[in-house]
Amino acid sequence: MQEPNQSSVTEFILLGFSFNSRTTPLLFSAFLMTYLLIILGNGLITILICLNSHLHTPMYFFIGILSMLDLGYTTTTVPQMLAHLASQKKTISFASCVAQMYIFLVLGITESWLFAMMSIDRYVAICHPLRYKVIMSPWLCGVMVTFCGLWGVISALIYTVFAMRLPYCGPNKINHFFCEVPAVLKLACADTSVNDWVDFILGFSVILVPLSLILVIYVHIFIAILRICSAQGRLKAFSTCASHITVVTVFCVPAMVMYMKPSSEASPEDDKKLALFYNVISAFLNPIIYSLRNKDVKRAFLKVAGWGRAPE
């Protein structure tokens, strides 16, 4: 009986943020400036890592991949959000909504697992420094990133198929600023309890498992750091770990809350704020926290810009 209704919704309306119309120009300017800074920061990091041979190490290889993921992650959602803020038309076609949902999930899940791979890199660097370059070979780094990408592609496909197989017969107003699974599911003309279980199980595999792996690894890292005799050495090791823990927290914790809670407990306004954290704010902060405060990156920038010579 519901089969014909599946094609009744050909487009969705993205309601975006519930702000006064007077604040829209300010909101547009803030998001535009943030997006431009994301492009500048992450783009600069990627270029520097490619151009400077001193940054051709496993750690910077992963940071470069992270920067490219952040660029793609935000570009999937922010330009459309800006276009909707600047115009009265806030529609997105059904096909475009599915594509946005899938690409967003692929990049997000890949990034979630990439953080786990980066923690492994830090573990080897701190706990096995003499064998670091041997263990973290280019081949192994490539395999780790490929695993993250494949897990992202497969998990995102399952998420998207289970979400879009449901009938959508109206209303067609998504109370979000992009097509995110929890917000879209609220419009389904069918029981979504199976989707809640799928979201929880997949959320366990794409968020909780990487976080648990990171936690276990950092327990071993902190034990190793406490055994370092030099206070300066301990401080340097802690500084590297603190940067990684910060970006993981900003990205993974809001994502875990969003995707692992039952749809009945979801609040549209809270969901939008959570999505801003792992979609926009994390991509904005990552270059600052992880790379732009790093002396190696600063030296590489000065060398590429011709303002100085990186020490050999």
Side-chain angles (χ1 to χ4, degrees), residues 52-63:
N52 194 283
S53 59
H54 293 282
L55 302 182
H56 292 176
T57 64
M59 183 181 78
Y60 289 109
F61 170 73
F62 290 122
I63 291 176

Side-chain angles (χ1 to χ4, degrees), residues 292-309:
L292 297 182
R293 292 174 62 248
N294 187 293
K295 292 181 180 180
D296 293 333
V297 175
K298 289 180 180 179
R299 293 193 190 102
F301 174 75
L302 293 174
K303 184 176 181 180
V304 170
W307 296 340
R309 183 183 293 274

